[in-house]
Amino acid sequence: MAEVEIQAFIDRLDACGQRDARVLELPDFSEFTTTPITESPGVPNDQRPFATRVDSIAIPQFLSDKRSSAETSFMGLLPQISRSWISFDNHLFLWRFPNPFDEESPENTQFSSHKSLDNTIMLVTLAVPKKGVFSDSVKWLIVIVTDSEVVFLGVQYHGDPSFDNITLVPTYIGVALESSPLCICSTSEGRVFVTCDDSNIYELDYQGESGWFNSKCRKINLTSSVLSSFIPSFFRKSSETEPITMLKVDDSRNILYALRSSSVTAYFLGSDGNQFEALNTLDFNLTPNLNKPVEIASIFVVPKNHSHSVHLVAITRKGHRLFCTTNPN
């Protein structure tokens, strides 16, 4: 009996080792950080390309024509449904962009549009619909953020599930904003977070029907208590009053990252993805061995299947990469 248990234990260790061996770990960058940048054999320093263009996709002509007459215009990508989006004031357009690596990818001639908003569109993202709120035909939600409200649209597809043909349907779910929005993101569980210029993170909690005490959608302040609103800003840390410029979600670890100009705060969303707890704030200006001041331009999540030790990469304004972790060890 003991031999059987020992063999089962050995088999379990072997299985764990094989599983860990399949995890792609980030390469060791030490050789790049210790080698002077001037050592680039055969290529002068000022002639080295920063990036190589693989392909380019032109904006459809009729959208380019509209852009010249719009007062404000924003654009971005929705890769989950193979769409680009562009806004002209309060008018939203989606079009399917061709995949440069797929010869059979359709041309960018399939369009969808939405124009029932009164205010300027500033941000657009996709969110997974919460279970039990919408019909099964709604596969995604498009979250539109204007300068004064957030509106949810449903995405239905026709035919095969490759989203060749989609329809935008109204959900009649939305909420007003008292402050100017800065960024928005969503989790794989369907939670939607938005930040405004008041330095707070809000969760947009929606439901199918309104009740006596709850509307269809409400905005929950996750980072500020009622009492803190009565405290003058000069009594609070500067990092607490500085606007959040970017939100990124690590669904593999259930962590939400909030970027300010020189710091990143990590929030744990719970093992089930339905909680919210502040973990820690990393202020790069207080980090040793870095030239001050440090300004962070962007952050990128490193999922668990890419690295166990590196969880986040921060890119400075000068192009330096800073590798971060939430592991205290």
Side-chain angles (χ1 to χ4, degrees):
M1 185 66 179
E3 293 180 358
V4 174
E5 293 178 351
I6 292 175
Q7 185 60 45
F9 179 71
I10 294 175
D11 294 342
R12 179 63 175 168
L13 285 179
D14 290 340
C16 291
Q18 294 174 7
R19 181 195 63 191
D20 292 342
R22 291 194 297 268
V23 175
L24 299 176
E25 186 68 33
L26 284 177
D28 183 8
F29 290 99
S30 59
E31 58 177 302
F32 299 101
T33 57
T34 57
T35 302
I37 193 172
T38 54
E39 295 184 10
S40 182
V43 182
N45 224 24
D46 58 351
Q47 296 181 16
R48 291 183 298 111
F50 179 76
T52 301
R53 188 180 72 176
V54 176
D55 199 357
S56 61
I57 301 173
I59 298 175
Q61 185 59 45
F62 92 94
L63 292 181
S64 298
D65 297 339
K66 286 181 174 294
R67 194 173 190 177
S68 61
S69 60
E71 293 185 9
T72 59
S73 179
F74 300 95
M75 62 187 306
L77 297 176
L78 304 174
Q80 299 94 326
I81 59 173
S82 301
R83 293 297 190 277
S84 302
W85 68 268
I86 186 168
S87 65
F88 307 111
D89 301 326
N90 64 336
H91 198 171
L92 175 68
F93 284 92
L94 304 181
W95 81 92
R96 183 182 178 93
F97 56 84
N99 184 348
F101 301 102
D102 185 1
E103 296 180 356
E104 298 182 358
S105 178
E107 296 296 326
N108 51 352
T109 55
Q110 300 170 9
F111 300 95
S112 304
S113 66
H114 181 76
K115 190 180 181 181
S116 65
L117 303 173
D118 298 326
N119 300 296
T120 300
I121 297 172
M122 302 178 67
L123 303 167
V124 175
T125 193
L126 280 178
V128 177
K130 287 184 178 180
K131 296 179 180 179
V133 177
F134 304 100
S135 65
D136 293 340
S137 62
V138 176
K139 303 302 182 182
W140 289 93
L141 295 176
I142 290 183
V143 188
I144 304 174
V145 184
T146 74
D147 52 7
S148 62
E149 64 178 338
V150 180
V151 175
F152 292 78
L153 294 180
V155 177
Q156 295 177 328
Y157 68 80
H158 307 280
D160 63 88
S162 61
F163 291 98
D164 284 342
N165 296 287
I166 65 172
T167 300
L168 304 182
V169 295
T171 66
Y172 306 103
I173 294 177
V175 66
L177 296 176
E178 289 76 27
S179 304
S180 297
L182 295 179
C183 52
I184 189 170
C185 71
S186 64
T187 73
S188 59
E189 298 295 324
R191 299 179 71 181
V192 181
F193 302 101
V194 63
T195 68
C196 298
D197 59 5
D198 60 0
S199 307
N200 290 312
I201 299 177
Y202 297 91
E203 180 173 2
L204 306 179
D205 184 32
Y206 61 87
Q207 56 188 5
E209 299 293 337
S210 58
W212 285 101
F213 301 102
N214 291 318
S215 59
K216 273 192 173 184
C217 185
R218 56 183 181 142
K219 184 168 82 309
I220 304 173
N221 192 331
L222 299 174
T223 53
S224 179
S225 64
V226 176
L227 181 61
S228 64
S229 62
F230 296 96
I231 300 176
S233 60
F234 55 81
F235 281 120
R236 288 180 278 169
K237 297 179 181 179
S238 59
S239 60
E240 295 177 350
T241 59
E242 192 176 357
I244 296 171
T245 58
M246 183 175 291
L247 290 175
K248 287 294 181 71
V249 175
D250 182 353
D251 285 312
S252 66
R253 300 182 181 91
N254 287 339
I255 295 177
L256 173 70
Y257 296 99
L259 171 67
R260 293 178 170 89
S261 64
S262 61
S263 67
V264 176
T265 302
Y267 299 91
F268 183 51
L269 302 180
S271 57
D272 59 355
N274 293 317
Q275 304 173 41
F276 190 88
E277 175 188 357
L279 292 178
N280 193 20
T281 297
L282 175 60
D283 190 334
F284 293 101
N285 282 324
L286 301 179
T287 303
N289 303 323
L290 290 179
N291 294 327
K292 313 299 187 301
V294 178
E295 289 187 76
I296 306 299
S298 186
I299 54 176
F300 298 90
V301 167
V302 181
K304 188 182 294 185
N305 63 339
H306 284 184
S307 175
H308 286 303
S309 56
V310 178
H311 299 175
L312 188 77
V313 178
I315 311 295
T316 70
R317 295 285 180 186
K318 296 182 179 180
H320 298 131
R321 291 175 294 183
L322 306 176
F323 299 92
C324 312
T325 182
T326 58
N327 188 348
N329 299 321

